[in-house]
Amino acid sequence: MPSDTLMPARTRRGAAHMGIAGAGLLGRLLAWTLSRQGHAVSVFDPAPGPAPRFDGLGAAGFTAAGMLSPLAELETADPELAARGWDSLRHWEALCAAWARRRSPAPHFARQGSLMVTHRSDLGAAHRVLNRLCALARAQDWPQQPHPLDAPALRALEPDLHSSTGPMHAWMLPGEGQIDTVQALQTLQTDAEGVQWHWRANVETVRPGTLGLAGEATLRGFDQVFDVRGVGARPECAVRGVRGELVWLHAPGVDLRRPVRLLHPRHRVYIVPRPGDLVLVGASELESEDRSAMSLRSAVELMAAAHSVLPGLAEARIVRMDTNLRPALPDNRPEIHTETGLTRINGLYRHGWLLAPSLVHEALTHLQLIPETSTLLLPHHG
């Protein structure tokens, strides 16, 4: 157990030394933003390095399709969470536009809306979902509200999207978007100038102003500590793991431009296009902490559901089947806990990419590290 504490050292006038436990999506967003403000930032993570991992043991952010869908999430979430989603879209749009101006390639980002579709046999269940979405969107007076698409309109938007078993019903969810999660995580890490990344560094204890690493007798001291370890924050945080599954397909010739959710009484399957002729197919969540490989049943159900509305996937090749655990608190809502010298952010559940920028922005404005009216896109000081 660590016994001694090093006092934090100021780096220069107006700057502080920030310690971050966890190099997933939240950790990289925090590191990128704080480094741009001129702070010294040290990040600690047990992973062997920053590269993507698809073995179920790396950052949960890599096992994500990157759907930015505030309207669609109203099916199971509340308007406050959706409002955070709209806020995060603003941040992602600004960040990706800036990266696109400065470097090539930038993370793929698109905001052309998303689609909800259903087979005729499941129309009743779909209407119940859409009625809830529309009622909540109207109650919040949002300009973005789901609207139905007839067959010609759907063909104009997504010519390859159709059912081979009969009529298919579709709705447009305007304003929603998508981001390439792997590219974005890599860019956040490589573009965070001056950040000290400590890999193979397992944080065992987090206290105000200090981090305790496995194998070290002395605590490391900082001006401010951020605990964003997700499931790794146990037992200090009452977080559980929720299994996510994702099938990566290489599908040359399949033309899909927008994320698609298939409404089904038993499944909520999403289909998301990625650059390079990739199509990602996944399910919302499974209440399990199993990190093992995907089962045959899950793989068959996911791919059969996707093929039922995108027949061109018949000749797609399976690139990988990815699984991981997403961090969830007992009420499935995110939480920011702040005390002097310590901020914890956890419980992003299945909404990591939808919520992370909004949560980081709130945490940093509360600490008066960035202006409340800003985006996360801020220039260096000095």
Side-chain angles (χ1 to χ4, degrees), residues 36-198:
R36 289 179 64 81
Q37 290 303 291
H39 299 293
V41 181
S42 298
V43 184
F44 303 86
D45 194 275
R53 295 184 68 181
F54 304 104
D55 56 2
L57 300 176
F62 287 120
T63 309
M67 297 176 69
L68 307 175
S69 304
L71 278 175
E73 290 302 331
L74 285 173
E75 178 188 356
T76 55
D78 57 42
E80 180 185 347
L81 184 146
R84 280 194 181 277
W86 293 122
D87 183 49
S88 289
L89 267 163
R90 174 176 67 95
H91 292 294
W92 283 129
E93 197 161 29
L95 290 173
C96 291
W99 283 326
R101 288 193 297 268
R102 290 197 296 113
R103 62 176 61 234
S104 180
H108 173 72
F109 174 87
R111 193 172 182 182
Q112 304 176 70
S114 70
L115 296 173
M116 281 188 167
V117 301
T118 191
H119 298 289
R120 185 173 183 176
S121 58
D122 301 321
L123 190 55
H127 275 150
R128 287 191 289 273
V129 172
L130 267 297
N131 288 341
R132 171 179 169 80
L133 266 57
C134 291
L136 290 173
R138 286 195 299 268
Q140 300 299 311
D141 199 27
W142 290 334
Q144 305 93 343
Q145 297 190 21
H147 60 265
L149 298 172
D150 59 21
L154 179 60
R155 280 195 301 271
L157 289 174
E158 299 288 356
D160 285 4
L161 195 63
H162 61 88
S163 173
S164 57
T165 61
M168 188 171 70
H169 297 262
W171 295 263
M172 166 62 77
L173 277 60
E176 297 196 333
Q178 65 187 104
I179 188 169
D180 187 314
T181 58
V182 174
Q183 290 179 353
L185 281 169
Q186 291 174 311
T187 301
L188 283 168
Q189 191 265 327
T190 57
D191 196 45
E193 298 177 7
V195 172
Q196 297 295 312
W197 301 91
H198 301 269

Side-chain angles (χ1 to χ4, degrees), residues 253-276:
V254 173
D255 183 15
L256 184 66
R257 302 158 201 170
R258 296 166 181 82
V260 177
R261 290 177 186 250
L262 173 60
L263 297 176
H264 183 278
R266 288 192 303 115
H267 306 295
R268 290 295 182 266
V269 176
Y270 51 80
I271 310 164
V272 180
R274 284 269 183 94

Side-chain angles (χ1 to χ4, degrees), residues 78-368:
D78 57 42
E80 180 185 347
L81 184 146
R84 280 194 181 277
W86 293 122
D87 183 49
S88 289
L89 267 163
R90 174 176 67 95
H91 292 294
W92 283 129
E93 197 161 29
L95 290 173
C96 291
W99 283 326
R101 288 193 297 268
R102 290 197 296 113
R103 62 176 61 234
S104 180
H108 173 72
F109 174 87
R111 193 172 182 182
Q112 304 176 70
S114 70
L115 296 173
M116 281 188 167
V117 301
T118 191
H119 298 289
R120 185 173 183 176
S121 58
D122 301 321
L123 190 55
H127 275 150
R128 287 191 289 273
V129 172
L130 267 297
N131 288 341
R132 171 179 169 80
L133 266 57
C134 291
L136 290 173
R138 286 195 299 268
Q140 300 299 311
D141 199 27
W142 290 334
Q144 305 93 343
Q145 297 190 21
H147 60 265
L149 298 172
D150 59 21
L154 179 60
R155 280 195 301 271
L157 289 174
E158 299 288 356
D160 285 4
L161 195 63
H162 61 88
S163 173
S164 57
T165 61
M168 188 171 70
H169 297 262
W171 295 263
M172 166 62 77
L173 277 60
E176 297 196 333
Q178 65 187 104
I179 188 169
D180 187 314
T181 58
V182 174
Q183 290 179 353
L185 281 169
Q186 291 174 311
T187 301
L188 283 168
Q189 191 265 327
T190 57
D191 196 45
E193 298 177 7
V195 172
Q196 297 295 312
W197 301 91
H198 301 269
W199 305 106
R200 302 185 187 275
N202 186 22
V203 175
E204 288 189 330
T205 60
V206 178
R207 299 290 184 269
T210 62
L211 294 176
L213 273 63
E216 293 188 1
T218 302
L219 296 174
R220 300 199 181 205
F222 301 92
D223 296 299
Q224 181 73 27
V225 165
F226 297 87
D227 184 359
V228 287
R229 292 174 292 166
V231 177
R234 293 184 295 198
E236 295 171 315
C237 182
V239 62
R240 74 186 192 281
V242 178
R243 180 180 171 95
E245 300 183 335
L246 198 61
V247 178
W248 294 60
L249 302 173
H250 184 233
V254 173
D255 183 15
L256 184 66
R257 302 158 201 170
R258 296 166 181 82
V260 177
R261 290 177 186 250
L262 173 60
L263 297 176
H264 183 278
R266 288 192 303 115
H267 306 295
R268 290 295 182 266
V269 176
Y270 51 80
I271 310 164
V272 180
R274 284 269 183 94
D277 295 322
L278 291 173
V279 176
L280 277 55
V281 182
S284 294
E285 77 277 337
L286 298 170
E287 280 293 342
S288 169
E289 292 207 0
D290 180 10
R291 290 182 182 268
S292 65
M294 192 179 302
S295 70
L296 183 145
R297 180 174 64 181
S298 287
V300 169
E301 287 183 351
L302 284 175
M303 289 184 280
H307 176 255
S308 74
V309 295
L310 200 59
L313 290 178
E315 297 302 321
R317 296 300 186 255
I318 301 170
V319 177
R320 69 174 63 93
M321 298 181 187
D322 191 11
T323 63
N324 212 322
L325 297 184
R326 300 162 181 168
L329 296 174
D331 60 359
N332 291 337
R333 294 176 59 85
E335 180 180 86
I336 302 174
H337 168 83
T338 300
E339 57 188 281
T340 303
L342 171 62
T343 297
R344 301 183 192 269
I345 311 176
N346 213 321
L348 272 65
Y349 190 35
R350 63 189 226 184
H351 313 298
W353 287 87
L354 182 65
L355 298 182
S358 178
L359 292 167
V360 167
H361 185 266
E362 179 180 330
L364 296 185
T365 54
H366 177 78
L367 294 169
Q368 299 183 333

